[in-house]
Amino acid sequence: QPELGKPMRNCYSLPGPDFTYGMYMHKRDGGVPEAIGHWDAVKAKAHPRKRVMPRDFVAMGRAAVDEGCTTAREFALYYNYMDIRCKDKGILRYGGKAPPGMTFGRPPRPSTPIFDIMQHRYKELWMEEQRARTRVQHMVKKKVGKIGEVRENRTTFLRTHPLPVKEESFWHPRRFEKVQAPHVPSPDQRQLFWAS
């Protein structure tokens, strides 16, 4: 039973003073002298088999077209000759060797030469750029002025240069000549006609 006024004790007994809590590290158990005197390098594990990536048919198709392949037989021969594989994008994510010549991080900015600063070289370069930009803008304005002028279309051309008047021809075929309408008698002539 628990003692009066005290919490209930744990029923487990603790291990002795030589017990180490947590994980025991064999390689890093030398303390500070070993850490200072030795570099703890982990050897890479040898992979039993190399991962074979699938063929990249898109890249092979582009390369075949660049080489001038047009028929299915030529494409098949090119695919047998050129074996392009997909790139493994997770090679560094899941552990692996970095490609040769690969640099991590951003390259450092080149140092500013103090001699150019003392001679105001950057001011001169900036002034040259401004002059060149002004020249280009001036040339563009000249071209826009020529292009922006109103071009003559057919209507404005005909207003300034009217067409010559066609001379009327006096010869007409007989069938197109105006035929005189039959004479319609006046009412007085009608009365005379009926009276006779």
Side-chain angles (χ1 to χ4, degrees):
Q1 290 184 353
E3 298 178 24
L4 187 63
K6 290 185 179 180
M8 188 174 177
R9 291 185 180 182
N10 197 352
C11 56
Y12 299 111
S13 59
L14 295 175
D18 58 339
F19 181 78
T20 304
Y21 291 93
M23 230 165 115
Y24 184 73
M25 299 293 290
H26 293 281
K27 291 187 178 179
R28 299 179 184 170
D29 202 30
V32 176
E34 187 178 343
I36 292 174
H38 303 286
W39 182 257
D40 190 13
V42 179
K43 292 181 180 177
K45 294 179 182 177
H47 294 290
R49 62 183 180 86
K50 192 176 180 182
R51 185 177 173 194
V52 178
M53 297 300 294
R55 297 178 83 183
D56 191 0
F57 285 98
V58 175
M60 284 194 294
R62 285 182 188 151
V65 170
D66 290 342
E67 290 294 326
C69 298
T70 53
T71 62
R73 185 173 184 280
E74 289 175 351
F75 271 92
L77 289 172
Y78 189 84
Y79 289 166
N80 290 337
Y81 175 69
M82 291 294 290
D83 187 21
I84 301 173
R85 299 284 173 170
C86 293
K87 293 178 182 174
D88 189 4
K89 294 181 180 175
I91 189 168
L92 298 176
R93 190 181 307 160
Y94 304 111
K97 292 184 179 178
M102 183 171 183
T103 307
F104 293 95
R106 295 173 61 186
R109 191 173 69 85
S111 60
T112 306
I114 197 71
F115 191 70
D116 289 346
I117 293 174
M118 291 173 67
Q119 286 192 333
H120 303 290
R121 178 78 182 139
Y122 295 105
K123 176 192 143 195
E124 295 298 327
L125 290 173
W126 184 81
M127 291 295 289
E128 285 295 324
E129 287 176 7
Q130 295 302 318
R131 288 186 199 112
R133 186 181 296 171
T134 307
R135 273 187 245 120
V136 168
Q137 287 176 353
H138 188 64
M139 294 297 292
V140 167
K141 277 186 181 178
K142 276 187 176 179
K143 286 183 181 177
V144 168
K146 290 179 182 177
I147 294 171
E149 292 175 0
V150 179
R151 294 183 180 177
E152 282 194 6
N153 54 14
R154 185 175 172 80
T155 307
T156 56
F157 182 78
L158 289 176
R159 282 182 190 152
T160 55
H161 306 86
L163 291 173
V165 180
K166 281 188 177 180
E167 293 182 8
E168 191 175 347
S169 170
F170 294 107
W171 180 83
H172 298 289
R174 225 173 168 56
R175 60 182 172 175
F176 294 123
E177 285 184 4
K178 289 185 179 178
V179 180
Q180 291 183 353
H183 178 65
V184 180
S186 64
D188 296 334
Q189 289 175 347
R190 272 189 232 145
Q191 284 179 359
L192 288 173
F193 177 75
W194 291 111
S196 62

